[in-house]
Amino acid sequence: MQEQHNLRADGDDDFAALFEKNTQENPEIREGTIVLGTIVDIIGEYAVVDVGCKAEGQVPLREFAEEDGSINIRVGDKIEVLLEAQEDNNGLVVLSKDKARKRKVWDEIQTACEAEGLVRGTIQARVKGGLAVLLQGGVKAFLPGSQVDLRPVRNLDTFIAKDFDFKIIKFNKKRGNIVLSRRVLLEAERANLKSDTLNRLQEGEIVEGVVKNLTDYGAFIDLGGIDGLLHITDMSWGRVNHPSELFQVGDKVRVKVLKFNSDSERVSLGLKQITADPWVNAEQRYIPGTVVEGKVVSIKDYGAFIELEEGIEGLVHVSEMSWTRQIKNPKQILKIGDQVRAVVLDIDVSQNRISLGMKQLEENPYDKVLETYPPGTIVEGVVRNIADFGVFVELEPGIDGLVHITDLSWTQRVRHPSELFKKGDRVRAMVLNIDNSGEKPKISLGLKQLAQDPWDRIPYDYPTGKIFEVKILKLTDFGAFAELEPGIEGLIHISEISEERIEDPRSVLEPNQRVRAELIQMDPAERKIGLSIKSAKRQDELADAQGYANASEAGATLGDVFANKFRDRS
């Protein structure tokens, strides 16, 4: 064979002429074309290939290597090669198996592009703007990120090393540029599915779909070319805080078509509607008075929701948690997930509401209040709270009594209870009354009742017509309040200050001034005393005329007579 090659080298001109003549007779055999050849010999690192027309060429054995590096060819094998040139320096035809393969692949890709067909490839790596794809035959192509899927893909790495069919959207054989799209195929596939789905979709039908996306308010389910919304309120008869508690993207789920509008292509789906409503016949399972057990699933300022079964919750109001503890927030005694026992207080199936109580499982301490604290009992307690109208005294944990401001003192004028008490003070009081008309009894206490009412003796100690030395406490536009003894006051009306007309008591009197005044009026029922400076002055003047230093020395009886006479004149 080597000798034959040398002979051809010696007669290059004759061989070229012969080749030209043969290619004219066989136009498919020309430079730049792919021809079918036969391996006629293997010499060293080359395979000798006969392409006809008495023309042979050499192809490097490396072009026959398989993926594992092995070379499996034999003399007589038929192969396709690219005829690059009529002859090389050795007078042989220049052939290439690799270039023939690549040329054929590019031709097939071009044919597929022109026919709007599909090509298959493997995504190799992530590149700027998208992904690099290796097509069958070893041709590289580019897949833009926007053409990977129907929706924008956040992580393109998940597609690496996967095989897909693609549509060629841009092809330039000369520049070796190929741009692919997977999205076009998906859109076409989705359009076909959508048409089929719209034709078969009906309200009330149970269908199967795939979770496509999750939001705070629900899950979008792909029913086949069209998405339906499974709202969070239609996922379960029970409580669902977020759709992710039940689903993950890609999950298959069976749902019921609740509403379907073919014009707007909007589909509302339900999952809980596949099963029976647990509230049906609930009033037969949760009769008031029934003791139930459940899990705390939600805590609000006003109470805690207890899941009794899937889809049925009851509310324990904060006021129903303890007989005696002042619970401001249920989190003081409960937390999510706690198992609790309670009593059914009420049920309203029309509103899907059940009222529960926890304190009803314990003995009601208020039932024994009247027995423990009958009216007249002297008690001792701690000031728990002070209000404008009185003082709350804790007799025992959860049991309070109220001392009204009017029951603090017989005689002292109290503007606000804080003048006498502060929180934490220990006080003694008398139980005045217990009102059991409400759920929690109201206990009325009194402090002044621990001592005798001074007004029982005041009318006797301070008779009408008698003159007393009093201290001015407070001045007003209509007169002055004067103290007879601590806690006992009388009013000197502006008309009883002087014989002369007084426009303003402050012009003739001042606080803490001591004056003589006659007691001219006594009303024990209203606890009111009327005093008169001018009447006392009149009595003193009459006594002086009789030779006494003042009316007091003249004696009470004489003073009374004179006073009555002057009052009759006036």
Side-chain angles (χ1 to χ4, degrees):
M1 180 64 70
Q2 185 66 40
E3 183 179 350
Q4 182 181 2
H5 292 165
N6 291 337
L7 292 174
R8 287 181 178 177
D10 294 339
D12 286 344
D13 293 339
D14 294 340
F15 178 78
L18 178 61
F19 183 84
E20 179 67 22
K21 178 180 178 182
N22 289 338
T23 55
Q24 288 178 354
E25 295 176 356
N26 300 279
E28 69 278 4
I29 301 177
R30 61 182 184 275
E31 290 184 355
T33 62
I34 295 175
V35 296
L36 183 64
T38 303
I39 298 176
V40 295
D41 200 359
I42 298 174
I43 302 176
E45 297 296 324
Y46 293 91
V48 180
V49 180
D50 181 1
V51 295
C53 303
K54 299 181 180 180
E56 294 178 356
Q58 292 181 331
V59 178
L61 292 181
R62 65 175 181 274
E63 294 190 15
F64 295 93
E66 304 290 343
E67 291 183 1
D68 59 359
S70 61
I71 299 175
N72 301 307
I73 58 172
R74 294 176 301 176
V75 173
D77 287 348
K78 302 289 184 178
I79 62 170
E80 289 184 332
V81 291
L82 176 67
L83 198 155
E84 294 186 78
Q86 294 180 2
E87 60 181 327
D88 58 10
N89 295 332
N90 296 319
L92 298 175
V93 179
V94 180
L95 304 174
S96 174
K97 181 178 181 298
D98 278 349
K99 291 182 179 180
R101 178 180 55 78
K102 291 180 180 179
R103 171 74 65 82
K104 188 173 183 181
V105 170
W106 275 94
D107 288 344
E108 291 174 351
I109 293 174
Q110 181 175 5
T111 300
C113 179
E114 292 172 351
E116 296 188 354
L118 306 181
V119 292
R120 191 160 185 84
T122 303
I123 296 178
Q124 284 190 311
R126 184 172 180 172
V127 295
K128 184 178 180 181
L131 297 167
V133 180
L134 183 66
L135 300 180
Q136 292 180 348
V139 176
K140 293 183 178 180
F142 175 64
L143 176 63
S146 61
Q147 300 296 320
V148 175
D149 208 337
L150 292 172
R151 293 175 178 268
V153 179
R154 294 183 180 180
N155 186 10
L156 293 175
D157 291 338
T158 58
F159 288 84
I160 294 176
K162 293 183 179 180
D163 295 338
F164 297 102
D165 288 329
F166 301 97
K167 182 77 175 289
I168 299 173
I169 57 175
K170 186 176 181 181
F171 179 81
N172 190 319
K173 185 175 181 180
K174 185 175 182 181
R175 295 184 178 182
N177 184 23
I178 301 176
V179 180
L180 307 174
S181 173
R182 178 172 173 262
R183 178 179 177 176
V184 173
L185 302 181
L186 296 177
E187 287 176 343
E189 180 182 349
R190 185 173 178 82
N192 293 331
L193 288 173
K194 180 178 179 179
S195 178
D196 293 340
T197 302
L198 290 174
N199 289 332
R200 63 177 173 81
L201 212 56
Q202 294 181 357
E203 291 185 2
E205 180 184 7
I206 295 177
V207 296
E208 187 175 276
V210 178
V211 178
K212 188 174 183 180
N213 190 27
L214 297 177
T215 68
D216 291 338
Y217 56 85
F220 287 93
I221 311 298
D222 186 353
L223 304 176
I226 184 172
D227 293 344
L229 173 61
L230 174 59
H231 197 271
I232 189 171
T233 57
D234 290 312
M235 291 182 177
S236 172
W237 293 111
R239 181 182 295 268
V240 180
N241 296 311
H242 194 275
S244 58
E245 296 177 5
L246 300 179
F247 305 108
Q248 292 182 348
V249 174
D251 286 349
K252 290 185 178 181
V253 59
R254 294 176 70 249
V255 289
K256 188 173 185 178
V257 179
L258 303 181
K259 292 182 181 179
F260 171 52
N261 188 319
S262 58
D263 295 331
S264 62
E265 298 181 358
R266 290 187 177 181
V267 185
S268 296
L269 304 173
L271 178 61
K272 71 181 185 182
Q273 288 79 2
I274 295 178
T275 59
D277 184 351
W279 281 94
V280 176
N281 300 324
E283 69 274 11
Q284 299 176 10
R285 302 192 303 277
Y286 300 101
I287 301 171
T290 304
V291 178
V292 294
E293 186 172 342
K295 180 177 68 175
V296 177
V297 293
S298 179
I299 298 178
K300 305 295 183 183
D301 293 340
Y302 53 84
F305 288 92
I306 313 298
E307 184 182 56
L308 305 179
E309 62 179 88
E310 184 178 352
I312 293 188
E313 297 177 6
L315 171 65
V316 181
H317 193 269
V318 66
S319 63
E320 302 293 345
M321 293 183 176
S322 174
W323 289 112
T324 58
R325 289 185 61 180
Q326 298 295 324
I327 300 174
K328 295 181 178 179
N329 190 306
K331 291 182 180 179
Q332 294 176 230
I333 60 174
L334 296 174
K335 63 180 182 296
I336 301 295
D338 282 352
Q339 289 288 330
V340 298
R341 296 175 71 245
V343 175
V344 177
L345 303 180
D346 186 37
I347 181 169
D348 184 350
V349 175
S350 64
Q351 298 293 324
N352 288 359
R353 292 177 180 174
I354 295 179
S355 297
L356 303 174
M358 294 168 57
K359 68 184 184 183
Q360 287 76 10
L361 294 173
E362 304 171 355
E363 183 180 5
N364 185 353
Y366 299 131
D367 292 340
K368 296 184 178 181
V369 167
L370 189 58
E371 178 183 339
T372 307
Y373 304 104
T377 304
I378 305 301
V379 295
E380 186 173 333
V382 178
V383 174
R384 186 180 61 81
N385 195 19
I386 299 175
D388 294 340
F389 52 84
V391 176
F392 288 94
V393 179
E394 184 180 58
L395 306 180
E396 61 180 79
I399 307 295
D400 290 349
L402 170 64
V403 182
H404 195 271
I405 190 171
T406 58
D407 289 313
L408 292 175
S409 174
W410 289 113
T411 59
Q412 187 174 354
R413 187 184 299 274
V414 182
R415 295 183 179 85
H416 195 277
S418 59
E419 297 174 6
L420 303 177
F421 303 101
K422 63 180 183 296
K423 287 185 179 181
D425 285 351
R426 293 197 67 84
V427 297
R428 294 177 72 248
M430 178 184 288
V431 178
L432 304 180
N433 183 51
I434 296 180
D435 182 1
N436 273 325
S437 59
E439 180 184 273
K440 184 175 181 180
K442 296 178 181 178
I443 304 176
S444 298
L445 304 176
L447 267 66
K448 70 182 184 181
Q449 286 79 4
L450 295 175
Q452 184 179 1
D453 185 355
W455 276 91
D456 292 341
R457 62 173 176 81
I458 291 299
Y460 301 100
D461 292 348
Y462 299 96
T464 303
K466 189 173 180 178
I467 296 175
F468 301 93
E469 185 176 283
V470 297
K471 182 173 70 173
I472 302 299
L473 296 178
K474 183 174 66 174
L475 297 169
T476 67
D477 293 339
F478 56 84
F481 286 95
E483 181 183 65
L484 285 84
E485 66 177 66
I488 305 300
E489 300 176 6
L491 172 64
I492 305 171
H493 193 269
I494 190 172
S495 62
E496 297 295 336
I497 294 176
S498 175
E499 296 287 353
E500 300 177 359
R501 182 178 180 81
I502 304 297
E503 297 294 338
D504 186 353
R506 300 174 184 84
S507 63
V508 294
L509 297 172
E510 59 184 22
N512 297 321
Q513 180 183 351
R514 302 192 73 85
V515 298
R516 287 169 57 78
E518 179 186 352
L519 195 150
I520 60 174
Q521 184 182 2
M522 172 68 70
D523 187 348
E526 295 293 330
R527 298 178 181 254
K528 293 181 178 180
I529 298 175
L531 301 173
S532 175
I533 296 175
K534 71 178 184 181
S535 292
K537 190 174 182 180
R538 286 174 185 173
Q539 288 200 50
D540 286 342
E541 289 175 352
L542 287 173
D544 182 59
Q546 298 295 322
Y548 296 98
N550 55 49
S552 298
E553 292 184 7
T557 303
L558 181 60
D560 292 342
V561 173
F562 287 141
N564 290 333
K565 287 183 179 180
F566 277 103
R567 272 196 292 274
D568 292 340
R569 290 178 182 177
S570 60

